[in-house]
Amino acid sequence: MEPVIRIRGLKYTYDEGSPDEVEALSGVDMDIFPGQFVSVIGRNGSGKSTLAKAMNAIVVPDEGVVIVNGIQTSDEDKLWDIRRVVGMVFQNPDNQLVATTVEEDIAFGPENLGIPSKEIAERVEEALRLTGMEGFKDFPPHMLSGGQKQRVAIAGVIAMRPRCIVLDESTAMLDPLGRKEVLEAAYKLAREEGIAIVLITHFMEEAMLADSVYIMDAGKIVAQGSPSEIFYEVEDLEGLGLDEPQVVELSKMLKLRGFDIAEGVLSSEEMADRLSALIRPGPREGIGGSV
Ligand code: ADP
Ligand code: MG
């Protein structure tokens, strides 16, 4: 399968040649496939947002290539094709909604593409459904919660029929419910619509939901793997500026105490299952063979 985004040897420096130059990306390789849910984590300043911007040609490589749907992002004539394929949702929901109703907001992108109004109406309906925002069509965006605003921002991207959506810390300003709503919407788009999702986040619990996790540090990808590989096998997450997820911390503490029962466990549900099996074994394993 061809990747939606292929990145090879990507380097990018801000203010190159000036005394303040910063090498934000120093050789990044990455492939993002259709329907893949990818998370990118790493300390502040590690290059995550610059990488996100490189994915839809807000920044173009100094060295290396970013290929979106077969098109190099350095091809200036194809800028709008690239931006249509890879949509972005940013951190602050209030900066992304421009219209007076949810419907107008979602229609804004397709209108700019000159899409006929009948098709726009269909796309708006579809985008509302996919983000669980049916019923809010006529609402003014400022009346919505943070999580709802971000879902409208996602809906606006969906209306462009993208193949990939990049969420750059899009849950950072939300309350726990809002984060859950946005996460669920993104997850569903990957699973049911085959849209690739790139989730940049500083919440490890969110990163753990991904198919594949990338850790960035100082402009490089320093680790990549499944969530259990990343959170159980990478040495020194703390040294990379990352928190250890609680469930992982608990699993490791149990192991240190001689209970190696939860290696690789990523959810509280699974952890609860393992612990209850230990505390209350099945009838045949019970003390004295009886319950
Ligand atoms: P992250 O999203 O992981 O916090 P960024 O990609 O925003 O990282 O930043 C990577 C590096 O590039 C940091 O050192 C940051 O200070 C620098 N940087 C980011 N944006 C700019 C900019 N517009 N001009 C100059 N330097 C920048
Ligand atoms: Mg950032």
Side-chain angles (χ1 to χ4, degrees):
M1 199 176 4
E2 281 292 301
V4 185
I5 303 180
R6 164 158 287 174
I7 299 176
R8 289 291 179 273
L10 168 62
K11 290 192 180 184
Y12 185 77
T13 302
Y14 289 101
D15 305 315
E16 190 153 31
S18 94
D20 309 322
E21 74 170 31
V22 180
E23 189 173 80
L25 297 174
S26 6
V28 171
D29 298 325
M30 204 175 212
D31 282 317
I32 312 280
F33 291 94
Q36 199 183 18
F37 194 117
V38 168
S39 63
V40 180
I41 53 180
R43 74 172 95 246
N44 276 342
S46 59
K48 305 180 299 296
S49 291
T50 308
L51 178 63
K53 288 172 184 160
M55 289 177 178
N56 81 344
I58 298 174
V59 307
V60 295
D62 291 332
E63 281 179 47
V65 289
V66 177
I67 302 165
V68 169
N69 225 9
I71 306 166
Q72 286 208 27
T73 58
S74 55
D75 187 343
E76 285 170 31
D77 298 336
K78 298 284 172 62
L79 192 61
W80 297 106
D81 295 303
I82 292 160
R83 301 237 169 117
R84 206 152 58 197
V85 174
V86 180
M88 288 270 250
V89 180
F90 296 99
Q91 186 176 97
N92 189 340
D94 293 318
N95 294 345
Q96 298 178 81
L97 306 182
V98 289
T100 52
T101 68
V102 165
E103 178 179 22
E104 286 170 34
D105 220 294
I106 300 171
F108 183 79
E111 270 166 8
N112 280 348
L113 295 178
I115 288 168
S117 49
K118 184 167 169 291
E119 190 184 334
I120 293 179
E122 286 166 13
R123 289 191 184 198
V124 169
E125 291 301 327
E126 178 189 54
L128 286 166
R129 179 176 58 78
L130 290 172
T131 51
M133 288 299 288
E134 315 96 318
F136 291 94
K137 205 164 134 176
D138 302 319
F139 263 62
H142 71 264
M143 298 281 285
L144 303 174
S145 71
Q148 290 169 334
K149 285 177 187 168
Q150 287 298 51
R151 283 188 286 152
V152 174
I154 294 171
V157 171
I158 294 172
M160 307 289 276
R161 299 265 158 90
R163 298 191 65 207
C164 177
I165 302 177
V166 181
L167 298 123
D168 188 0
E169 307 258 11
S170 306
T171 59
M173 298 176 73
L174 307 181
D175 60 20
L177 176 63
R179 295 214 304 267
K180 189 161 176 269
E181 290 171 357
V182 170
L183 252 289
E184 280 174 2
Y187 195 81
K188 195 168 133 190
L189 290 172
R191 288 295 173 268
E192 293 173 17
E193 304 300 314
I195 297 175
I197 299 289
V198 178
L199 180 79
I200 297 172
T201 184
H202 63 262
F203 296 108
M204 299 304 114
E205 276 69 19
E206 295 182 356
M208 287 200 300
L209 298 172
D211 302 314
S212 184
V213 183
Y214 288 81
I215 303 180
M216 292 196 69
D217 195 39
K220 289 196 169 72
I221 288 165
V222 293
Q224 186 267 321
S226 68
S228 60
E229 286 166 346
I230 290 293
F231 291 107
Y232 281 88
E233 292 170 27
V234 171
E235 307 276 333
D236 198 21
L237 285 173
E238 231 174 278
L240 293 165
L242 302 168
D243 301 324
E244 188 159 73
Q246 268 185 350
V247 66
V248 175
E249 190 178 17
L250 178 56
S251 168
K252 290 182 180 173
M253 283 180 177
L254 285 165
K255 190 175 176 180
L256 283 175
R257 285 160 179 71
F259 296 97
D260 188 3
I261 55 150
E263 181 80 27
V265 166
L266 294 168
S267 71
S268 317
E269 287 74 18
E270 174 71 7
M271 182 58 91
D273 287 346
R274 304 270 182 119
L275 287 174
S276 15
L278 193 71
I279 296 164
R280 190 182 54 225
R284 285 168 197 288
E285 300 158 57
I287 297 160
S290 64
V291 181

